[in-house]
């Protein structure tokens, strides 16, 4: 369905840009809000270790969209962080960042859930990140040094 939608946009030949995002995080991001709500309730969070994605910070998405308003369009942009992480790693990062114990995040597997989630749903955002160099360079350095880095686990 996504591919067909993108093709329909391309066929119109008008001014357009197609934006693909990873899992959007920040206030209002579905997965992010679910983690925070459960941590606030005192519940544990079970998150998949066997699926990867490239998270998109909502603030970065907004900056890219605003910047694209001043372009001629016609391109496909992957707006996502540079490092693929599992949902488990993301949940750990959220818990640590907000001051919750990482022990409240439990590893889980997508196997046997009946959910159709690809093992690797990452986006290659290298071109977009270089195109929007001034926006993303600090963020890329942050990701590489942050809790998303496997060196910290």
């Amino acid at each position: 369905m996504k591919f067909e939608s993108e093709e329909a946009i391309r066929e119109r030949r008008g001014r357009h840009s197609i934006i693909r995002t990873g899992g959007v995080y920040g206030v209002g991001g579905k997965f992010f809000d679910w983690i925070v709500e459960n941590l606030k309730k005192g519940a544990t969070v079970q998150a998949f270790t066997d699926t990867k994605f490239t998270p998109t910070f909502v603030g970065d998405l907004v900056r890219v969209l605003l910047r694209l308003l001043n372009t001629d369009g016609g391109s496909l942009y992957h707006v996502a962080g540079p490092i693929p992480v599992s949902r488990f790693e993301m949940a750990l990062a959220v818990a640590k960042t907000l001051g919750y114990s990482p022990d409240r995040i439990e590893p889980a597997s997508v196997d046997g859930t009946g959910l159709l989630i690809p093992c690797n749903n990452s986006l290659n955002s290298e071109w977009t990140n270089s195109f929007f160099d001034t926006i993303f360079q600090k963020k890329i350095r942050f990701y590489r040094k942050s809790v998303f880095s496997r060196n910290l686990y």
Side-chain angles (χ1 to χ4, degrees):
M1 185 66 161
K2 290 180 189 179
F3 178 76
E4 290 83 3
S5 299
E6 290 176 4
E7 286 301 304
I9 290 168
R10 285 185 186 102
E11 287 173 7
R12 296 194 74 204
R13 297 183 190 254
R15 183 175 175 234
H16 71 275
S17 293
I18 297 172
I19 310 297
R20 292 180 183 164
T21 63
V24 177
Y25 72 96
V27 176
K30 190 175 177 180
F31 183 58
F32 178 86
D33 286 349
W34 175 78
I35 295 167
V36 173
E37 286 174 26
N38 279 288
L39 291 172
K40 282 182 178 179
K41 290 183 208 173
T44 57
V45 173
Q46 292 188 335
F48 300 136
T49 58
D50 51 357
T51 62
K52 298 278 185 188
F53 73 113
T54 41
T56 301
F57 176 57
V58 68
D60 289 340
L61 178 57
V62 168
R63 284 193 236 14
V64 168
L65 292 173
L66 290 173
R67 188 142 174 216
L68 285 174
L69 290 174
N70 297 317
T71 69
D72 291 332
S75 291
L76 169 68
Y77 300 94
H78 288 179
V79 181
I83 299 174
V85 297
S86 68
R87 292 189 176 272
F88 177 73
E89 291 169 311
M90 182 69 180
L92 275 177
V94 171
K96 289 178 183 179
T97 301
L98 298 179
Y100 292 98
S101 170
D103 295 337
R104 303 254 309 275
I105 310 300
E106 297 178 350
S109 175
V110 73
D111 288 340
T113 66
L115 297 173
L116 298 174
I117 301 174
C119 293
N120 190 342
N121 201 23
S122 301
L123 295 173
N124 182 341
S125 58
E126 192 172 321
W127 181 84
T128 303
N129 290 345
S130 67
F131 183 74
F132 293 105
D133 189 53
T134 56
I135 294 175
F136 285 99
Q137 285 309 309
K138 289 181 183 173
K139 194 61 83 174
I140 290 169
R141 284 192 292 276
F142 167 76
Y143 281 124
R144 288 186 178 145
K145 294 178 181 176
S146 75
V147 288
F148 298 116
S149 170
R150 284 163 192 62
N151 296 333
L152 297 179
Y153 294 108

